[in-house]
Amino acid sequence: MHDTILVIGANGQIGTELVAELRTIYGDNKVIACDIRRPDYDTRNAGPFEFVNVLDKDNLKDICQKYKPTMIYLLAAILSATGEQNPKLAWDLNMNGLLNVLDFAIEFNVRKVYWPSSIAVFGPNSPKDHTSQYCVMDPNTVYGISKLAGERWCEYYFRKHGLDVRSLRYPGLISWKAAPGGGTTDYAVHIFHDALKKSSYSSFLSADTRLPMMYMDDAIRGTIELMEAPADRLTIRSSYNFSGMDFTPEELAAEIRVHIPSFTLGYVANDPRQAIADSWPRSIDDSYARNDWNWATRFDMSRTTEEMLKHLRK
Ligand code: NAD
């Protein structure tokens, strides 16, 4: 079967790399990049692009009618730190965007839907270390609340309508191609840019704030592996815990010093992102992903650091 794939929110940190990888696998013209923002040069020239607002049902319906997609990847969202600045807008986009896509997926017989969740679904009373798939979940950001509710909707549509919807709880994603979109883990990208530019960085998270992270290549590979896994292997239809590595700003700085010995790390006090980070897990137990569809990470902190510095130097 020839798949036609819509990627909605294609111009962001993940979409930029996911669209390129999907086009390599399925063919340039089979992957339709959709966003409310104009794409960068690569995305626009490698294959079709459409302006789509996921909150505009008529717009979304026209695109579904035009392309008759067999798969939809929904990436449009407002992330954790930005969401706190405009909670109602974040709720509207993160929730109604998802419901619109789930409804049109049923109406247009879409075979599979992908929608990412986040470690933000956990909260202050969730276990901090090796946080398990099933535990207390009391997110206290609007982003986390919308992701947890979204997970429940995904499972509901799977059970009620038989929609093949799949999801991962991404940790903080580290990449060099596109800028991060306003999350609490963004420091782990900015630090590499500043290390090369000024040999110093001021972190908005404190020295010992440990958070789960992943290099983008692992995230893209894991996403596609999940989407290609046989449906009967998947025991989770809300969202899978998904783990790469975990580190603190201080540990990452020490790793950067292996390559740039003069690098110094300072700290900015009282940043609102600290409270968000403090409510999240320090590390994640992703044994369901490992057992169900053989997930295995390839990039640890040292390999990620090497890759980031190598690509950004270019
Ligand atoms: P991003 O902010 O970089 O990109 C989101 C894209 O969606 C942007 O290009 C934006 O223009 C587009 N968009 C916004 N509103 C839209 C609308 N109404 N209609 C169509 N497009 C719209 O985000 P990202 O980092 O690429 O994240 C993608 C998904 O992954 C989100 O669901 C996010 O919650 C999730 N996630 C990301 C991370 C991370 O570290 N990047 C971690 C956990 C989960």
Side-chain angles (χ1 to χ4, degrees):
M1 157 161 206
H2 294 294
D3 280 302
T4 301
I5 303 172
L6 294 186
V7 181
I8 303 171
N11 298 343
Q13 190 193 6
I14 299 172
T16 302
E17 303 209 25
L18 184 65
V19 166
E21 187 60 23
L22 290 173
R23 282 182 173 158
T24 306
I25 298 170
Y26 293 94
D28 288 348
N29 289 322
K30 292 290 180 185
V31 180
I32 302 33
C34 307
D35 206 291
I36 45 168
R37 285 192 294 150
R38 188 172 290 282
D40 70 16
Y41 184 82
D42 284 355
T43 307
R44 195 166 59 237
N45 284 278
F49 171 80
E50 297 276 357
F51 281 106
V52 172
N53 179 354
V54 73
L55 293 177
D56 181 340
K57 288 188 190 180
D58 293 337
N59 187 194
L60 206 50
K61 189 167 189 167
D62 287 347
I63 292 296
C64 289
Q65 264 159 350
K66 180 171 173 187
Y67 290 103
K68 306 205 167 31
T70 56
M71 288 194 226
I72 301 180
Y73 286 74
L74 171 59
L75 304 176
I78 292 180
L79 274 68
S80 57
T82 313
E84 291 309 289
Q85 288 157 22
N86 200 335
K88 296 279 168 54
L89 189 70
W91 176 257
D92 188 30
L93 175 60
N94 296 2
M95 204 51 20
N96 291 321
L98 173 61
L99 290 173
N100 287 348
V101 166
L102 294 176
D103 284 336
F104 281 120
I106 288 166
E107 189 178 330
F108 286 89
N109 291 317
V110 173
R111 240 168 24 87
K112 287 182 202 174
V113 173
Y114 179 78
W115 170 83
S117 184
S118 159
I119 55 164
V121 292
F122 298 108
N125 290 295
S126 306
K128 291 280 175 215
D129 298 304
H130 309 294
T131 306
S132 63
Q133 179 72 33
Y134 299 108
C135 60
V136 171
M137 295 166 92
D138 58 346
N140 58 9
T141 60
V142 71
Y143 177 68
I145 297 169
S146 71
K147 288 295 185 187
L148 185 53
E151 289 188 4
R152 304 316 307 151
W153 276 115
C154 287
E155 190 182 302
Y156 183 85
Y157 271 70
F158 171 71
R159 298 205 184 288
K160 191 99 175 171
H161 303 289
L163 182 65
D164 190 348
V165 48
R166 305 176 181 204
S167 176
L168 295 171
R169 290 173 179 157
Y170 290 137
L173 299 180
I174 302 172
S175 69
W176 53 272
K177 281 191 186 152
T184 300
T185 53
D186 290 6
Y187 92 85
V189 175
H190 299 152
I191 194 171
F192 290 105
H193 289 267
D194 279 14
L196 288 169
K197 255 189 276 171
K198 329 187 264 193
S199 209
S200 70
Y201 178 69
S202 285
S203 170
F204 56 78
L205 298 184
S206 65
D208 59 351
T209 306
R210 178 173 300 284
L211 285 172
M213 301 277 182
M214 184 179 283
Y215 189 55
M216 187 62 85
D217 291 30
D218 268 348
I220 301 291
R221 181 174 54 83
T223 302
I224 293 171
E225 282 176 9
L226 171 67
M227 286 299 271
E228 287 178 351
D232 59 8
R233 294 276 301 277
L234 306 182
T235 58
I236 290 173
R237 292 300 186 150
S238 52
S239 188
Y240 276 95
N241 271 12
F242 187 50
S243 176
M245 62 191 121
D246 54 86
F247 54 73
T248 66
E250 199 166 60
E251 287 168 358
L252 184 57
E255 191 61 43
I256 291 174
R257 266 181 224 116
V258 172
H259 305 268
I260 307 172
S262 60
F263 178 69
T264 56
L265 183 63
Y267 296 94
V268 185
N270 302 324
D271 189 285
R273 287 167 284 192
Q274 183 68 51
I276 301 178
D278 290 342
S279 76
W280 287 357
R282 289 188 283 257
S283 62
I284 296 288
D285 169 4
D286 64 357
S287 42
Y288 280 90
R290 291 173 183 277
N291 292 337
D292 285 5
W293 45 279
N294 301 323
W295 166 243
T297 188
R298 288 185 190 159
F299 288 83
D300 58 12
M301 184 178 65
S302 111
R303 192 163 169 215
T304 300
T305 303
E306 256 172 51
E307 290 288 307
M308 286 297 285
L309 293 174
K310 180 178 83 188
H311 288 292
L312 290 175
R313 270 201 179 104
K314 287 184 195 156

